[in-house]
Amino acid sequence: KRTWSLGACVKFYNCHCRCLVAILADKYALGWASKGRVLLPTATTVQLCACIGRSRSWSQQPSWAMAFLGSYRASVLLLLTCASCILMPAAADYAKYKDPKQPLNRRISDLLARMTVAEKIGQMSQIERENATADVVKEFFIGSVLSGGGSVPATNATPEAWVRMVNEMQRGALSTRLGIPMLYGIDAVHGHGNVYRATIFPHNVGLGCTRDPELAKKIGAAVALEVRATGIPYVFAPCVAVCRDPRWGRCYESFSEDPKLVQQMASVISGLQGEIPAGGRRGAPYVAAGQRNVAACSKHYVGDGGTAGGANEGDTPATFHDLLSVHMPPYYSAVAQGVSTVMVSFSSWNGAKMHANRFLITDFLKTTLRFRGFVISDWGGIERITTPKGADYMLSVKLAIMAGIDMIMIPYTYTEFIDDLSTLVHNGTIPMSRIDDAVRRILRVKFTMGLFENPYADFSLAGELGKQEHRDLAREAVRKSLVLLKNGKAGEKPLLPLPKNAESILVAGSHAHDLGNQCGGWTITWQGVAGNNLTTGTTILDGIKHAVGHGTDVVYSENPDAGFMRQNKARFDYAVVVVGEPPYAESFGDNLNLTVPAPGPRVIQDVCGSVRCAVVLVSGRPLVVEPYMDAVDALVAAWLPGTEGQGVSDVLFGDYGFTGKLARTWFRSVEQLPMNVGDARYDPLFPFGFGLQTRAAADMEALN
């Protein structure tokens, strides 16, 4: 019992049972019944076993037993030895870790004690969906599977198709010896972005401008339901980065440049996971019971928003005091809310790769902050520890695991990772205590979220995907995220809210009728894609057409030139120009000039030089707009509003007032960057917290 694994004992025991069962049944009317994976004795056979087990001398056995033992003594001894090792303990505690009535730590310890090294390393492995057949999950004891950006079971897959895919992988996990369920994860940074027909909410850069933690919590709950509708229980969200330089290609994933505001908006975690009960253990992961919430992941730990020049995956030069005061506070809030996992950043801190930083991962996050969930790497993150990437993979595995990372998002080279980690464990380079700590944390999350009791998903939540209630919530978020930067030229009346009953209006610009541009990156694909064929939703143009009176002629021209405007300027009462950035994600969004992309500047000049105009800027960050300020009558920062473009028209036409306030500083030129509120040299075009306020048209009429 002490030297053989449980699986080896079961196989050995069953083998001898099968060899003897015919003899026992034939000569002595004894029998064995098959139950699950182990052969169980009938009552007569138990009598023989008990009789022999109680006696110290062979001569003390009854004659009917002695006749049998004389011929088959050796085999019976082997049989009884295995029976005593397997049957008796198994009856007492084999299912302890499967019993939800047992205390959490007892379940974890019981299961951990039964696991082989291979099973433990499998739990530490997260592989991409493309590799994750049921057979692969079973063979390598895979603990987690993910969908990367754009990784889907089929184009425009239904919730039912997602559920079937996840359940098939889960079948492989549950068919292993111990039946440890697999945990499926996916990015959901502004809604269930990978999935067709999902509700796409404004990116965090816009949500920060709402300054509404309760709204963020509601959004988290809605996203959790839509993710659960596809059978997925784990999301890589929220991003709690404090973006200090808008040149960074992930700045739109950040709520603000201000750590206090990011802390407040981290309330989305309680929406995703459920509200942690009062008196809950500090640092312990929490996911509400049932299947309406998901495990969350705060990312990217730590300092990802402070890299020099805003370079993605770059180096954050900062003192420890600066790191604690600027970039760490959101993690205090995340841990206090019971966040289940924390993802490590690609970036470095003063030249040291975060994926190899034991001080910040183990000593600070796990020990000082008492975080008890598990730490996960970013996509292929450990390969980036060395320069060039992947130059010494075994060294990268060693440094990452010893730094305190518990689960590795591999995502493709899983056999190499498993082989290398196995070697490092067997030769003593990585102690078993470090492996056990990692697996204990992973199991804690799985037990806490009820994955052992409810490993399979069903179709009951399919109707939650793209639900009208969620779209209404997203539309509200769009309204509250809009920031009014200018409203009327000097000496003139404000242009906004726009009159609904004009005779004719012009809507122009590349982003006026483009759902993909509205949504930005992490929508259907990793980088996002322009156009109206990616998913369902309402463009800003659709919203304008719905808002105006029936007699108003809405003329749409994506790219009107100066000639068109000269011929038609007398025709239009006013114009709405919608321009901005194309979709991007991560390093593809790093930008050192931050100008409005062409042909946006020319369209602004041509249209706004001919007719009164409101410019709506769709972007993941502030852009250089000072050159156009004199030409425009009104300027609105709409950020990346998502699928519910009608939220923009709601405010443009006065159904609701402008309430959004800048969550980040709007610079004049890139030469000023980085520039953040509180800096000694602070000369922005629009300061942090700026935002003109308006009343809803109905309220204004009532006041008049």
Side-chain angles (χ1 to χ4, degrees), residues 484-522:
L484 181 58
L485 300 174
K486 181 180 180 179
N487 191 18
K489 294 178 179 177
E492 297 182 3
K493 291 182 179 180
L495 178 61
L496 302 177
L498 297 169
K500 293 184 176 182
N501 295 314
E503 288 188 13
S504 181
I505 65 175
L506 172 66
V507 179
S510 55
H511 289 53
H513 191 48
D514 193 307
L515 203 57
N517 283 339
Q518 274 179 214
C519 293
W522 295 106

Side-chain angles (χ1 to χ4, degrees), residues 345-689:
S345 176
F346 285 131
S347 60
S348 303
W349 175 47
N350 294 329
K353 290 283 188 180
M354 275 305 309
H355 273 72
N357 197 314
R358 179 178 174 83
F359 169 68
L360 287 175
I361 297 173
T362 296
D363 298 343
F364 194 82
L365 177 63
K366 291 185 173 181
T367 305
T368 302
L369 298 189
R370 299 170 67 187
F371 171 65
R372 292 180 174 85
F374 69 79
V375 177
I376 186 170
S377 80
D378 207 334
W379 176 283
I382 66 171
E383 299 174 10
R384 292 164 165 82
I385 292 175
T386 59
T387 304
K389 183 176 75 173
D392 189 338
Y393 192 70
M394 185 172 287
L395 175 63
S396 294
V397 172
K398 169 191 169 184
L399 293 174
I401 300 301
M402 292 305 294
I405 299 179
D406 304 307
M407 181 179 284
I408 305 299
M409 189 185 295
I410 302 169
Y412 297 114
T413 56
Y414 60 94
T415 54
E416 183 180 1
F417 167 76
I418 289 171
D419 289 345
D420 285 358
L421 182 53
S422 299
T423 298
L424 291 167
V425 172
H426 288 304
N427 67 20
T429 302
I430 295 179
M432 203 65 216
S433 59
R434 171 75 270 271
I435 301 299
D436 285 348
D437 171 65
V439 178
R440 181 176 293 274
R441 290 169 175 274
I442 293 166
L443 295 178
R444 181 179 293 121
V445 170
K446 290 185 176 184
F447 278 120
T448 297
M449 62 193 299
L451 201 57
F452 279 78
E453 286 65 57
N454 297 290
Y456 287 113
D458 57 39
F459 303 145
S460 61
L461 294 175
E464 297 290 339
L465 188 76
K467 189 177 180 180
Q468 188 58 49
E469 180 183 339
H470 300 163
R471 294 190 181 277
D472 292 342
L473 180 63
R475 185 172 170 180
E476 176 189 352
V478 174
R479 292 195 296 262
K480 292 182 175 180
S481 69
L482 302 179
V483 179
L484 181 58
L485 300 174
K486 181 180 180 179
N487 191 18
K489 294 178 179 177
E492 297 182 3
K493 291 182 179 180
L495 178 61
L496 302 177
L498 297 169
K500 293 184 176 182
N501 295 314
E503 288 188 13
S504 181
I505 65 175
L506 172 66
V507 179
S510 55
H511 289 53
H513 191 48
D514 193 307
L515 203 57
N517 283 339
Q518 274 179 214
C519 293
W522 295 106
T523 309
I524 303 301
T525 68
W526 171 37
Q527 292 295 316
V529 58
N532 292 324
N533 297 322
L534 71 166
T535 189
T536 59
T538 304
T539 67
I540 295 173
L541 175 63
D542 293 333
I544 291 173
K545 289 180 176 179
H546 187 270
V548 298
H550 294 298
T552 300
D553 181 27
V554 178
V555 177
Y556 170 60
S557 177
E558 179 180 337
N559 188 15
D561 58 19
F564 175 88
M565 293 309 303
R566 281 195 300 270
Q567 294 174 5
N568 293 280
K569 65 179 181 179
R571 173 183 175 187
F572 303 120
D573 294 276
Y574 56 83
V576 178
V577 178
V578 191
V579 295
E581 293 185 295
Y584 56 81
E586 300 192 35
S587 298
F588 291 91
D590 285 359
N591 189 325
L592 297 179
N593 58 62
L594 295 181
T595 55
V596 177
R602 184 191 57 74
V603 174
I604 292 173
Q605 297 288 8
D606 288 344
V607 174
C608 297
S610 303
V611 63
R612 295 193 79 191
C613 75
V615 173
V616 178
L617 188 63
V618 176
S619 65
R621 53 201 162 188
L623 300 176
V624 177
V625 296
E626 191 171 29
Y628 322 113
M629 291 305 297
D630 290 340
V632 306
D633 293 272
L635 179 61
V636 177
W639 313 111
L640 296 170
T643 53
E644 306 313 303
Q646 201 165 344
V648 176
S649 59
D650 284 343
V651 185
L652 287 179
F653 289 91
D655 292 332
Y656 296 84
F658 282 93
T659 59
K661 296 182 179 181
L662 288 179
R664 56 179 322 99
T665 298
W666 203 295
F667 56 90
R668 297 177 183 275
S669 67
V670 292
E671 286 73 28
Q672 295 177 296
L673 300 176
M675 178 174 60
N676 295 282
V677 62
D679 287 356
R681 299 180 64 180
Y682 191 70
D683 179 32
L685 181 62
F686 301 109
F688 176 87

Side-chain angles (χ1 to χ4, degrees), residues 95-104 107 110 447 452-453:
K96 186 179 294 184
Y97 73 92
K98 295 183 178 180
D99 183 0
K101 295 180 181 179
Q102 293 286 338
L104 173 62
R107 297 180 76 185
D110 179 71
F447 278 120
F452 279 78
E453 286 65 57

Side-chain angles (χ1 to χ4, degrees), residues 131-150:
N131 304 318
T133 64
D135 289 340
V136 167
V137 171
K138 178 180 179 180
E139 179 181 357
F140 295 96
F141 310 105
I142 298 298
S144 185
V145 178
L146 84 151
S147 276

Side-chain angles (χ1 to χ4, degrees), residues 145-159:
V145 178
L146 84 151
S147 276
S151 180
V152 298
T155 303
N156 298 345
T158 63

Side-chain angles (χ1 to χ4, degrees), residues 184-249:
Y184 200 103
I186 197 166
D187 286 286
V189 296
H190 66 144
H192 201 5
N194 261 9
V195 179
Y196 180 67
R197 298 183 67 86
T199 306
I200 305 300
F201 291 86
H203 268 295
N204 289 351
V205 66
L207 294 182
C209 296
T210 70
R211 297 172 181 249
D212 190 341
E214 284 301 314
L215 176 63
K217 190 183 299 184
K218 291 178 183 177
I219 290 172
V223 172
L225 282 171
E226 297 211 7
V227 172
R228 278 287 194 174
T230 57
I232 297 173
Y234 175 33
V235 297
F236 308 126
C239 177
V240 293
V242 181
C243 176
R244 305 289 282 181
D245 193 326
R247 291 174 291 189
W248 184 35

